Short mmCIF file of all heavy atoms in Angstrom, two decimals:
data_model
loop_
_atom_site.label_atom_id
_atom_site.label_comp_id
_atom_site.label_asym_id
_atom_site.label_seq_id
_atom_site.Cartn_x
_atom_site.Cartn_y
_atom_site.Cartn_z
N MET Z 69 0.84 -1.18 0.00
CA MET Z 69 0.00 0.00 0.00
C MET Z 69 0.89 1.23 0.00
O MET Z 69 1.90 1.28 0.69
CB MET Z 69 -0.90 -0.04 1.23
CG MET Z 69 -1.88 1.06 1.29
SD MET Z 69 -3.41 0.38 1.91
CE MET Z 69 -4.41 1.78 1.77
N LEU Z 70 0.50 2.24 -0.79
CA LEU Z 70 1.29 3.45 -0.89
C LEU Z 70 1.00 4.39 0.27
O LEU Z 70 -0.11 4.45 0.78
CB LEU Z 70 1.01 4.16 -2.21
CG LEU Z 70 1.41 3.42 -3.48
CD1 LEU Z 70 0.95 4.19 -4.69
CD2 LEU Z 70 2.90 3.20 -3.53
N ASP Z 71 2.01 5.11 0.64
CA ASP Z 71 1.89 6.12 1.67
C ASP Z 71 0.98 7.24 1.19
O ASP Z 71 0.92 7.54 -0.01
CB ASP Z 71 3.28 6.65 2.01
CG ASP Z 71 3.28 7.56 3.20
OD1 ASP Z 71 2.55 7.29 4.17
OD2 ASP Z 71 4.03 8.55 3.17
N ALA Z 72 0.26 7.89 2.08
CA ALA Z 72 -0.66 8.97 1.71
C ALA Z 72 0.07 10.11 1.01
O ALA Z 72 -0.46 10.72 0.07
CB ALA Z 72 -1.38 9.49 2.94
N PHE Z 73 1.31 10.40 1.41
CA PHE Z 73 2.09 11.46 0.77
C PHE Z 73 2.34 11.12 -0.70
O PHE Z 73 2.22 11.97 -1.57
CB PHE Z 73 3.41 11.66 1.50
CG PHE Z 73 4.34 12.60 0.79
CD1 PHE Z 73 4.13 13.96 0.83
CD2 PHE Z 73 5.42 12.11 0.05
CE1 PHE Z 73 4.98 14.83 0.16
CE2 PHE Z 73 6.26 12.97 -0.62
CZ PHE Z 73 6.04 14.33 -0.56
N ILE Z 74 2.67 9.88 -0.98
CA ILE Z 74 2.96 9.46 -2.34
C ILE Z 74 1.69 9.55 -3.20
O ILE Z 74 1.73 10.02 -4.35
CB ILE Z 74 3.54 8.03 -2.37
CG1 ILE Z 74 4.90 8.02 -1.66
CG2 ILE Z 74 3.67 7.52 -3.79
CD1 ILE Z 74 5.48 6.65 -1.47
N ILE Z 75 0.56 9.14 -2.64
CA ILE Z 75 -0.71 9.21 -3.37
C ILE Z 75 -1.04 10.66 -3.70
O ILE Z 75 -1.42 10.98 -4.83
CB ILE Z 75 -1.83 8.55 -2.56
CG1 ILE Z 75 -1.56 7.04 -2.44
CG2 ILE Z 75 -3.19 8.80 -3.21
CD1 ILE Z 75 -2.49 6.32 -1.51
N GLU Z 76 -0.89 11.55 -2.73
CA GLU Z 76 -1.17 12.96 -2.97
C GLU Z 76 -0.20 13.55 -3.99
O GLU Z 76 -0.59 14.37 -4.82
CB GLU Z 76 -1.11 13.76 -1.66
CG GLU Z 76 -2.24 13.45 -0.71
CD GLU Z 76 -3.59 13.77 -1.32
OE1 GLU Z 76 -3.74 14.82 -1.97
OE2 GLU Z 76 -4.51 12.96 -1.13
N GLU Z 77 1.05 13.14 -3.94
CA GLU Z 77 2.04 13.62 -4.90
C GLU Z 77 1.68 13.17 -6.32
O GLU Z 77 1.78 13.94 -7.28
CB GLU Z 77 3.43 13.11 -4.51
CG GLU Z 77 4.56 13.66 -5.33
CD GLU Z 77 4.80 15.15 -5.10
OE1 GLU Z 77 4.36 15.69 -4.09
OE2 GLU Z 77 5.45 15.75 -5.99
N LEU Z 78 1.24 11.93 -6.48
CA LEU Z 78 0.82 11.44 -7.80
C LEU Z 78 -0.40 12.21 -8.31
O LEU Z 78 -0.46 12.57 -9.49
CB LEU Z 78 0.50 9.94 -7.72
CG LEU Z 78 1.68 9.01 -7.50
CD1 LEU Z 78 1.20 7.59 -7.23
CD2 LEU Z 78 2.63 9.05 -8.68
N LYS Z 79 -1.36 12.47 -7.44
CA LYS Z 79 -2.54 13.25 -7.83
C LYS Z 79 -2.14 14.65 -8.26
O LYS Z 79 -2.64 15.18 -9.26
CB LYS Z 79 -3.53 13.33 -6.68
CG LYS Z 79 -4.28 12.05 -6.42
CD LYS Z 79 -5.24 12.23 -5.27
CE LYS Z 79 -5.98 10.96 -4.93
NZ LYS Z 79 -6.89 11.15 -3.78
N ARG Z 80 -1.22 15.26 -7.52
CA ARG Z 80 -0.77 16.62 -7.83
C ARG Z 80 -0.08 16.65 -9.20
O ARG Z 80 -0.34 17.54 -10.01
CB ARG Z 80 0.17 17.13 -6.75
CG ARG Z 80 0.60 18.58 -6.94
CD ARG Z 80 1.61 19.01 -5.89
NE ARG Z 80 2.86 18.27 -5.98
CZ ARG Z 80 3.83 18.51 -6.88
NH1 ARG Z 80 3.68 19.46 -7.77
NH2 ARG Z 80 4.93 17.79 -6.89
N ARG Z 81 0.76 15.67 -9.49
CA ARG Z 81 1.47 15.62 -10.77
C ARG Z 81 0.49 15.40 -11.92
O ARG Z 81 0.64 16.01 -12.99
CB ARG Z 81 2.52 14.51 -10.74
CG ARG Z 81 3.70 14.86 -9.87
CD ARG Z 81 4.72 13.77 -9.89
NE ARG Z 81 5.81 14.06 -8.96
CZ ARG Z 81 6.84 13.26 -8.74
NH1 ARG Z 81 6.92 12.10 -9.40
NH2 ARG Z 81 7.78 13.58 -7.88
N GLU Z 82 -0.48 14.52 -11.72
CA GLU Z 82 -1.49 14.30 -12.77
C GLU Z 82 -2.27 15.59 -13.04
O GLU Z 82 -2.55 15.93 -14.19
CB GLU Z 82 -2.44 13.19 -12.36
CG GLU Z 82 -1.82 11.81 -12.42
CD GLU Z 82 -2.76 10.73 -11.93
OE1 GLU Z 82 -3.94 11.04 -11.62
OE2 GLU Z 82 -2.33 9.57 -11.85
N GLU Z 83 -2.62 16.30 -11.98
CA GLU Z 83 -3.34 17.57 -12.12
C GLU Z 83 -2.50 18.58 -12.88
O GLU Z 83 -2.99 19.28 -13.77
CB GLU Z 83 -3.69 18.11 -10.73
CG GLU Z 83 -4.35 19.45 -10.74
CD GLU Z 83 -5.85 19.34 -10.85
OE1 GLU Z 83 -6.38 18.23 -10.63
OE2 GLU Z 83 -6.46 20.35 -11.16
N GLU Z 84 -1.21 18.67 -12.59
CA GLU Z 84 -0.32 19.60 -13.30
C GLU Z 84 -0.20 19.23 -14.77
O GLU Z 84 -0.23 20.11 -15.63
CB GLU Z 84 1.07 19.59 -12.65
CG GLU Z 84 1.15 20.34 -11.34
CD GLU Z 84 2.54 20.27 -10.73
OE1 GLU Z 84 3.46 19.68 -11.34
OE2 GLU Z 84 2.71 20.82 -9.63
N ARG Z 85 -0.07 17.95 -15.07
CA ARG Z 85 0.03 17.52 -16.46
C ARG Z 85 -1.24 17.86 -17.23
O ARG Z 85 -1.18 18.34 -18.36
CB ARG Z 85 0.27 16.01 -16.54
CG ARG Z 85 1.67 15.61 -16.24
CD ARG Z 85 1.90 14.15 -16.53
NE ARG Z 85 3.12 13.70 -15.87
CZ ARG Z 85 3.20 12.70 -15.01
NH1 ARG Z 85 2.12 12.00 -14.72
NH2 ARG Z 85 4.34 12.39 -14.46
N ARG Z 86 -2.38 17.63 -16.60
CA ARG Z 86 -3.65 17.94 -17.26
C ARG Z 86 -3.78 19.44 -17.48
O ARG Z 86 -4.17 19.89 -18.56
CB ARG Z 86 -4.82 17.43 -16.41
CG ARG Z 86 -6.15 17.59 -17.10
CD ARG Z 86 -7.29 16.89 -16.38
NE ARG Z 86 -7.26 16.96 -14.95
CZ ARG Z 86 -7.73 17.99 -14.21
NH1 ARG Z 86 -8.22 19.04 -14.82
NH2 ARG Z 86 -7.69 17.95 -12.91
N ARG Z 87 -3.41 20.24 -16.51
CA ARG Z 87 -3.48 21.69 -16.63
C ARG Z 87 -2.52 22.18 -17.72
O ARG Z 87 -2.87 23.05 -18.51
CB ARG Z 87 -3.13 22.34 -15.29
CG ARG Z 87 -4.02 23.50 -14.96
CD ARG Z 87 -3.72 24.14 -13.63
NE ARG Z 87 -3.69 23.20 -12.51
CZ ARG Z 87 -2.68 23.09 -11.65
NH1 ARG Z 87 -1.65 23.87 -11.74
NH2 ARG Z 87 -2.72 22.21 -10.67
N ASP Z 88 -1.31 21.63 -17.76
CA ASP Z 88 -0.33 22.02 -18.78
C ASP Z 88 -0.80 21.65 -20.18
O ASP Z 88 -0.61 22.40 -21.13
CB ASP Z 88 1.03 21.38 -18.51
CG ASP Z 88 1.71 21.97 -17.28
OD1 ASP Z 88 1.30 23.06 -16.84
OD2 ASP Z 88 2.64 21.32 -16.77
N SER Z 89 -1.41 20.48 -20.33
CA SER Z 89 -1.86 20.07 -21.66
C SER Z 89 -3.03 20.93 -22.12
O SER Z 89 -3.17 21.20 -23.31
CB SER Z 89 -2.26 18.59 -21.66
OG SER Z 89 -3.42 18.39 -20.88
N GLU Z 90 -3.87 21.38 -21.20
CA GLU Z 90 -4.99 22.25 -21.57
C GLU Z 90 -4.50 23.63 -22.01
O GLU Z 90 -5.03 24.21 -22.95
CB GLU Z 90 -5.96 22.40 -20.40
CG GLU Z 90 -6.75 21.15 -20.10
CD GLU Z 90 -7.59 21.30 -18.85
OE1 GLU Z 90 -7.51 22.35 -18.17
OE2 GLU Z 90 -8.33 20.35 -18.54
N THR Z 91 -3.49 24.15 -21.34
CA THR Z 91 -3.02 25.50 -21.67
C THR Z 91 -2.08 25.51 -22.88
O THR Z 91 -1.94 26.54 -23.52
CB THR Z 91 -2.29 26.13 -20.47
OG1 THR Z 91 -1.19 25.29 -20.10
CG2 THR Z 91 -3.23 26.32 -19.30
N SER Z 92 -1.46 24.37 -23.19
CA SER Z 92 -0.52 24.35 -24.30
C SER Z 92 -1.21 24.23 -25.66
O SER Z 92 -0.58 24.42 -26.69
CB SER Z 92 0.48 23.21 -24.13
OG SER Z 92 -0.17 21.97 -24.21
N GLN Z 93 -2.50 23.89 -25.68
CA GLN Z 93 -3.21 23.76 -26.95
C GLN Z 93 -3.59 25.15 -27.46
O GLN Z 93 -4.18 25.94 -26.73
CB GLN Z 93 -4.46 22.92 -26.77
CG GLN Z 93 -4.15 21.48 -26.40
CD GLN Z 93 -5.43 20.68 -26.18
OE1 GLN Z 93 -6.51 21.21 -26.17
NE2 GLN Z 93 -5.26 19.39 -25.98
N PRO Z 94 -3.24 25.45 -28.71
CA PRO Z 94 -3.58 26.77 -29.26
C PRO Z 94 -5.08 26.90 -29.48
O PRO Z 94 -5.76 25.94 -29.84
CB PRO Z 94 -2.83 26.82 -30.58
CG PRO Z 94 -2.64 25.40 -30.96
CD PRO Z 94 -2.52 24.63 -29.66
N GLN Z 95 -5.58 28.08 -29.26
CA GLN Z 95 -6.99 28.36 -29.47
C GLN Z 95 -7.15 29.19 -30.73
O GLN Z 95 -6.53 30.25 -30.87
CB GLN Z 95 -7.55 29.14 -28.27
CG GLN Z 95 -7.48 28.39 -26.96
CD GLN Z 95 -8.37 27.16 -26.95
OE1 GLN Z 95 -9.44 27.18 -27.54
NE2 GLN Z 95 -7.91 26.11 -26.32
N LEU Z 96 -7.96 28.72 -31.66
CA LEU Z 96 -8.20 29.43 -32.90
C LEU Z 96 -9.57 30.09 -32.84
O LEU Z 96 -10.58 29.42 -32.65
CB LEU Z 96 -8.15 28.48 -34.10
CG LEU Z 96 -6.81 27.82 -34.36
CD1 LEU Z 96 -6.94 26.81 -35.49
CD2 LEU Z 96 -5.77 28.85 -34.70
N PRO Z 97 -9.64 31.39 -33.01
CA PRO Z 97 -10.95 32.05 -32.99
C PRO Z 97 -11.72 31.75 -34.27
O PRO Z 97 -11.15 31.63 -35.35
CB PRO Z 97 -10.60 33.53 -32.91
CG PRO Z 97 -9.23 33.63 -33.50
CD PRO Z 97 -8.54 32.33 -33.17
N VAL Z 98 -13.01 31.61 -34.14
CA VAL Z 98 -13.87 31.35 -35.29
C VAL Z 98 -14.30 32.70 -35.85
O VAL Z 98 -14.91 33.50 -35.14
CB VAL Z 98 -15.09 30.52 -34.87
CG1 VAL Z 98 -16.02 30.30 -36.05
CG2 VAL Z 98 -14.65 29.21 -34.27
N PRO Z 99 -13.97 32.99 -37.11
CA PRO Z 99 -14.35 34.28 -37.68
C PRO Z 99 -15.86 34.35 -37.89
O PRO Z 99 -16.50 33.38 -38.30
CB PRO Z 99 -13.61 34.34 -39.02
CG PRO Z 99 -13.39 32.91 -39.37
CD PRO Z 99 -13.24 32.17 -38.07
N SER Z 100 -16.41 35.49 -37.58
CA SER Z 100 -17.85 35.66 -37.80
C SER Z 100 -18.08 36.14 -39.23
O SER Z 100 -17.29 36.88 -39.80
CB SER Z 100 -18.42 36.67 -36.82
OG SER Z 100 -17.79 37.92 -37.02
N GLN Z 101 -19.17 35.70 -39.82
CA GLN Z 101 -19.49 36.06 -41.19
C GLN Z 101 -20.91 36.62 -41.24
O GLN Z 101 -21.86 35.93 -41.61
CB GLN Z 101 -19.37 34.85 -42.11
CG GLN Z 101 -17.98 34.28 -42.16
CD GLN Z 101 -17.91 33.03 -43.01
OE1 GLN Z 101 -18.91 32.50 -43.44
NE2 GLN Z 101 -16.72 32.55 -43.24
N PRO Z 102 -21.08 37.88 -40.87
CA PRO Z 102 -22.44 38.43 -40.83
C PRO Z 102 -23.05 38.62 -42.21
O PRO Z 102 -24.26 38.63 -42.36
CB PRO Z 102 -22.27 39.77 -40.13
CG PRO Z 102 -20.84 40.13 -40.37
CD PRO Z 102 -20.10 38.83 -40.44
N ASP Z 103 -22.23 38.77 -43.26
CA ASP Z 103 -22.76 39.03 -44.59
C ASP Z 103 -23.06 37.74 -45.36
O ASP Z 103 -23.49 37.78 -46.51
CB ASP Z 103 -21.79 39.89 -45.39
CG ASP Z 103 -20.41 39.25 -45.49
OD1 ASP Z 103 -20.07 38.41 -44.64
OD2 ASP Z 103 -19.66 39.61 -46.42
N ARG Z 104 -22.86 36.61 -44.74
CA ARG Z 104 -23.11 35.32 -45.40
C ARG Z 104 -24.61 35.08 -45.50
O ARG Z 104 -25.34 35.18 -44.53
CB ARG Z 104 -22.46 34.22 -44.59
CG ARG Z 104 -22.58 32.87 -45.20
CD ARG Z 104 -21.82 31.85 -44.39
NE ARG Z 104 -22.21 30.53 -44.82
CZ ARG Z 104 -22.03 29.44 -44.13
NH1 ARG Z 104 -21.45 29.51 -42.96
NH2 ARG Z 104 -22.40 28.28 -44.58
N GLU Z 105 -25.05 34.73 -46.71
CA GLU Z 105 -26.47 34.50 -46.94
C GLU Z 105 -26.80 33.03 -46.71
O GLU Z 105 -26.03 32.14 -47.05
CB GLU Z 105 -26.84 34.87 -48.36
CG GLU Z 105 -26.71 36.34 -48.67
CD GLU Z 105 -27.12 36.67 -50.08
OE1 GLU Z 105 -27.80 35.82 -50.71
OE2 GLU Z 105 -26.77 37.74 -50.56
N VAL Z 106 -27.96 32.79 -46.15
CA VAL Z 106 -28.44 31.43 -45.95
C VAL Z 106 -29.25 31.05 -47.18
O VAL Z 106 -30.18 31.75 -47.55
CB VAL Z 106 -29.32 31.35 -44.68
CG1 VAL Z 106 -29.87 29.95 -44.49
CG2 VAL Z 106 -28.53 31.80 -43.47
N PRO Z 107 -28.88 29.94 -47.85
CA PRO Z 107 -29.61 29.57 -49.06
C PRO Z 107 -31.05 29.18 -48.73
O PRO Z 107 -31.32 28.56 -47.71
CB PRO Z 107 -28.83 28.38 -49.61
CG PRO Z 107 -28.07 27.85 -48.45
CD PRO Z 107 -27.82 29.01 -47.54
N ALA Z 108 -31.96 29.55 -49.60
CA ALA Z 108 -33.37 29.22 -49.41
C ALA Z 108 -33.57 27.73 -49.69
O ALA Z 108 -32.90 27.15 -50.55
CB ALA Z 108 -34.23 30.05 -50.34
N ARG Z 109 -34.50 27.14 -48.98
CA ARG Z 109 -34.77 25.72 -49.20
C ARG Z 109 -35.53 25.53 -50.50
O ARG Z 109 -36.38 26.34 -50.87
CB ARG Z 109 -35.58 25.16 -48.05
CG ARG Z 109 -34.80 25.11 -46.78
CD ARG Z 109 -35.53 24.31 -45.77
NE ARG Z 109 -34.65 24.07 -44.65
CZ ARG Z 109 -34.86 23.16 -43.74
NH1 ARG Z 109 -35.93 22.41 -43.81
NH2 ARG Z 109 -34.02 23.00 -42.75
N GLN Z 110 -35.22 24.44 -51.18
CA GLN Z 110 -35.89 24.14 -52.43
C GLN Z 110 -37.14 23.32 -52.17
O GLN Z 110 -37.17 22.48 -51.26
CB GLN Z 110 -34.95 23.36 -53.35
CG GLN Z 110 -33.71 24.11 -53.75
CD GLN Z 110 -32.79 23.24 -54.60
OE1 GLN Z 110 -32.93 22.04 -54.65
NE2 GLN Z 110 -31.84 23.88 -55.24
N SER Z 111 -38.15 23.54 -52.97
CA SER Z 111 -39.35 22.72 -52.84
C SER Z 111 -39.08 21.37 -53.52
O SER Z 111 -38.05 21.17 -54.18
CB SER Z 111 -40.55 23.41 -53.48
OG SER Z 111 -40.36 23.50 -54.87
N ASP Z 112 -40.03 20.45 -53.41
CA ASP Z 112 -39.86 19.12 -54.00
C ASP Z 112 -39.73 19.19 -55.52
O ASP Z 112 -39.05 18.39 -56.13
CB ASP Z 112 -41.04 18.22 -53.63
CG ASP Z 112 -41.03 17.86 -52.15
OD1 ASP Z 112 -39.93 17.89 -51.55
OD2 ASP Z 112 -42.10 17.54 -51.60
N ASP Z 113 -40.39 20.17 -56.15
CA ASP Z 113 -40.33 20.28 -57.61
C ASP Z 113 -38.97 20.79 -58.08
O ASP Z 113 -38.53 20.49 -59.18
CB ASP Z 113 -41.43 21.21 -58.12
CG ASP Z 113 -42.82 20.66 -57.80
OD1 ASP Z 113 -42.94 19.42 -57.68
OD2 ASP Z 113 -43.76 21.47 -57.69
N GLU Z 114 -38.30 21.59 -57.26
CA GLU Z 114 -37.05 22.21 -57.67
C GLU Z 114 -35.82 21.37 -57.34
O GLU Z 114 -34.72 21.70 -57.75
CB GLU Z 114 -36.92 23.57 -56.98
CG GLU Z 114 -37.98 24.56 -57.39
CD GLU Z 114 -37.90 25.85 -56.60
OE1 GLU Z 114 -37.03 25.94 -55.72
OE2 GLU Z 114 -38.70 26.75 -56.85
N LYS Z 115 -35.99 20.31 -56.58
CA LYS Z 115 -34.84 19.49 -56.20
C LYS Z 115 -34.28 18.78 -57.42
O LYS Z 115 -35.02 18.27 -58.26
CB LYS Z 115 -35.24 18.46 -55.15
CG LYS Z 115 -35.51 19.06 -53.79
CD LYS Z 115 -35.80 17.98 -52.79
CE LYS Z 115 -36.10 18.59 -51.43
NZ LYS Z 115 -36.45 17.54 -50.46
N PRO Z 116 -32.96 18.72 -57.54
CA PRO Z 116 -32.37 17.98 -58.66
C PRO Z 116 -32.62 16.49 -58.49
O PRO Z 116 -32.68 15.98 -57.39
CB PRO Z 116 -30.89 18.31 -58.57
CG PRO Z 116 -30.67 18.74 -57.18
CD PRO Z 116 -31.95 19.33 -56.69
N GLN Z 117 -32.76 15.80 -59.63
CA GLN Z 117 -32.98 14.37 -59.57
C GLN Z 117 -31.68 13.68 -59.18
O GLN Z 117 -30.61 14.03 -59.67
CB GLN Z 117 -33.46 13.85 -60.92
CG GLN Z 117 -34.83 14.35 -61.29
CD GLN Z 117 -35.31 13.72 -62.59
OE1 GLN Z 117 -34.59 12.99 -63.24
NE2 GLN Z 117 -36.54 14.03 -62.95
N ARG Z 118 -31.81 12.72 -58.30
CA ARG Z 118 -30.64 11.99 -57.84
C ARG Z 118 -30.86 10.51 -58.12
O ARG Z 118 -31.97 10.03 -58.15
CB ARG Z 118 -30.45 12.21 -56.33
CG ARG Z 118 -30.27 13.68 -56.00
CD ARG Z 118 -30.11 13.88 -54.55
NE ARG Z 118 -28.75 13.49 -54.20
CZ ARG Z 118 -28.25 13.63 -52.99
NH1 ARG Z 118 -28.97 14.09 -52.02
NH2 ARG Z 118 -27.01 13.25 -52.74
N GLY Z 119 -29.76 9.81 -58.33
CA GLY Z 119 -29.88 8.40 -58.59
C GLY Z 119 -28.61 7.66 -58.22
O GLY Z 119 -27.69 8.22 -57.65
N VAL Z 120 -28.59 6.40 -58.57
CA VAL Z 120 -27.45 5.53 -58.26
C VAL Z 120 -26.94 4.95 -59.56
O VAL Z 120 -27.71 4.50 -60.41
CB VAL Z 120 -27.87 4.40 -57.31
CG1 VAL Z 120 -26.71 3.45 -57.04
CG2 VAL Z 120 -28.41 4.96 -56.01
N VAL Z 121 -25.63 4.92 -59.73
CA VAL Z 121 -25.00 4.32 -60.90
C VAL Z 121 -24.22 3.12 -60.41
O VAL Z 121 -23.39 3.22 -59.51
CB VAL Z 121 -24.05 5.31 -61.61
CG1 VAL Z 121 -23.36 4.63 -62.77
CG2 VAL Z 121 -24.84 6.52 -62.07
N ILE Z 122 -24.49 1.96 -60.99
CA ILE Z 122 -23.80 0.72 -60.61
C ILE Z 122 -22.89 0.34 -61.77
O ILE Z 122 -23.34 0.16 -62.90
CB ILE Z 122 -24.79 -0.43 -60.31
CG1 ILE Z 122 -25.68 0.00 -59.14
CG2 ILE Z 122 -24.05 -1.71 -60.02
CD1 ILE Z 122 -26.79 -0.96 -58.84
N ILE Z 123 -21.61 0.19 -61.49
CA ILE Z 123 -20.64 -0.21 -62.50
C ILE Z 123 -20.20 -1.63 -62.19
O ILE Z 123 -19.66 -1.89 -61.12
CB ILE Z 123 -19.43 0.74 -62.51
CG1 ILE Z 123 -19.91 2.17 -62.78
CG2 ILE Z 123 -18.39 0.28 -63.52
CD1 ILE Z 123 -18.84 3.21 -62.65
N ASP Z 124 -20.43 -2.54 -63.13
CA ASP Z 124 -20.11 -3.95 -62.94
C ASP Z 124 -18.79 -4.26 -63.65
O ASP Z 124 -18.72 -4.23 -64.86
CB ASP Z 124 -21.25 -4.80 -63.48
CG ASP Z 124 -21.05 -6.26 -63.19
OD1 ASP Z 124 -20.16 -6.61 -62.38
OD2 ASP Z 124 -21.81 -7.09 -63.74
N TYR Z 125 -17.75 -4.53 -62.87
CA TYR Z 125 -16.44 -4.85 -63.43
C TYR Z 125 -16.18 -6.35 -63.53
O TYR Z 125 -15.09 -6.79 -63.78
CB TYR Z 125 -15.33 -4.24 -62.55
CG TYR Z 125 -15.25 -2.72 -62.64
CD1 TYR Z 125 -15.64 -1.93 -61.58
CD2 TYR Z 125 -14.77 -2.12 -63.79
CE1 TYR Z 125 -15.56 -0.55 -61.66
CE2 TYR Z 125 -14.70 -0.74 -63.88
CZ TYR Z 125 -15.08 0.03 -62.81
OH TYR Z 125 -15.00 1.39 -62.90
N SER Z 126 -17.20 -7.17 -63.34
CA SER Z 126 -17.01 -8.61 -63.34
C SER Z 126 -16.93 -9.22 -64.74
O SER Z 126 -16.79 -10.42 -64.87
CB SER Z 126 -18.15 -9.28 -62.56
OG SER Z 126 -19.38 -9.05 -63.21
N VAL Z 127 -17.02 -8.44 -65.77
CA VAL Z 127 -17.01 -8.95 -67.15
C VAL Z 127 -15.62 -9.41 -67.53
O VAL Z 127 -14.62 -8.93 -67.29
CB VAL Z 127 -17.50 -7.89 -68.15
CG1 VAL Z 127 -17.44 -8.42 -69.56
CG2 VAL Z 127 -18.90 -7.46 -67.77
#
């Protein structure tokens, strides 16, 4: 069984490592885009037709 001092020392070191890893990560600000337009939703008639193409290479 470990001594209480050793247990506390391990906890303290883990806490320091976690704190250091959190502060060492660079923070990138997200640019705001107020002039960006939101596209209007298309109705069912205006939606482009979509499909599936199957290519058989077993020949």
